[in-house]
Amino acid sequence: PPPESPPPPTPIKPRPTFFPPPPTPFPYCQCERNPNLSPLKLSEPLISYPAPGLTAYCFTVLSNFSSVPPGAPCATMDMYKVEFEVNDFCRGSHAYSLVDGVRKAPFFQPSPSVIKVTNINKTAFTAAGTTICLVLQRPCPTLSQLCEPYAGGKCLYGIFSDPGETGTPKCCPLNQIMTDPAAFGRK
């Protein structure tokens, strides 16, 4: 009998040029979630202690226009708000937020649990350098407690464009931040 021919080679799939958002329904709306289509993201936080029992996690908005493909739907998105997916147990932990030093009331949305920092109102060109702080208290005074068990050592967040814009896609690029204090700075 003739020898069997070898099986055809298995095609190799090309690696994606972007990393898709994690498999989660967050941010619970229809919007462009791909972080590689927007120049905006948050830095790792700096930690401070503004008063006894309070811990502030302060993020700086970063932008990198050169990393976004030309013509991407969110390439020039504005920055209306930031949302963090959080542990349902942590209701009451968001004491307040700060945007560029201006205090904002806490906004904790239950079931599904999300902390929102709204009315940031920056353009794609003025957002860089904006400071956004989450000030936390018990029962979840740390970023790790606030975001676990959802993201496996990371905190999932979305940056949102203004939903009222006309002719501009509604963007909500998702990203993650490490929750381990050893991964970021203290001030």
Side-chain angles (χ1 to χ4, degrees):
E4 288 185 32
S5 59
T10 305
I12 297 173
K13 292 182 181 178
R15 293 180 64 151
T17 57
F18 66 92
F19 298 99
T24 173
F26 179 76
Y28 313 106
C29 64
Q30 294 293 328
C31 51
E32 179 55 67
R33 299 162 32 124
N34 184 337
N36 295 311
L37 299 180
S38 166
L40 304 177
K41 70 177 194 171
L42 299 180
S43 69
E44 297 297 333
L46 291 176
I47 304 171
S48 64
Y49 304 92
L54 296 178
T55 306
Y57 290 86
C58 294
F59 309 90
T60 301
V61 178
L62 307 173
S63 69
N64 184 354
F65 289 97
S66 64
S67 68
V68 180
C74 300
T76 59
M77 69 176 280
D78 62 352
M79 184 175 190
Y80 173 70
K81 68 178 176 176
V82 177
E83 292 187 3
F84 296 85
E85 184 177 41
V86 299
N87 188 334
D88 205 34
F89 171 77
C90 295
R91 185 176 303 179
S93 294
H94 184 206
Y96 59 92
S97 296
L98 296 168
V99 176
D100 290 334
V102 176
R103 188 173 173 148
K104 293 185 170 274
F107 192 149
F108 188 98
Q109 171 189 297
S111 299
S113 296
V114 174
I115 286 179
K116 299 181 181 188
V117 182
T118 61
N119 296 315
I120 297 171
N121 300 326
K122 300 280 185 158
T123 70
F125 307 102
T126 62
T130 299
T131 302
I132 299 169
C133 301
L134 294 182
V135 181
L136 306 178
Q137 61 189 1
R138 290 191 177 280
C140 301
T142 69
L143 201 58
S144 179
Q145 292 167 324
L146 186 74
C147 297
E148 291 302 321
Y150 299 111
K154 297 177 182 162
C155 195
L156 185 62
Y157 71 90
I159 295 176
F160 289 75
S161 61
D162 187 334
E165 291 182 355
T166 57
T168 302
K170 185 177 178 187
C171 301
C172 62
L174 299 184
N175 269 296
Q176 298 177 349
I177 294 172
M178 297 300 294
T179 60
D180 178 5
F184 41 81
R186 295 178 186 272
K187 63 178 183 177

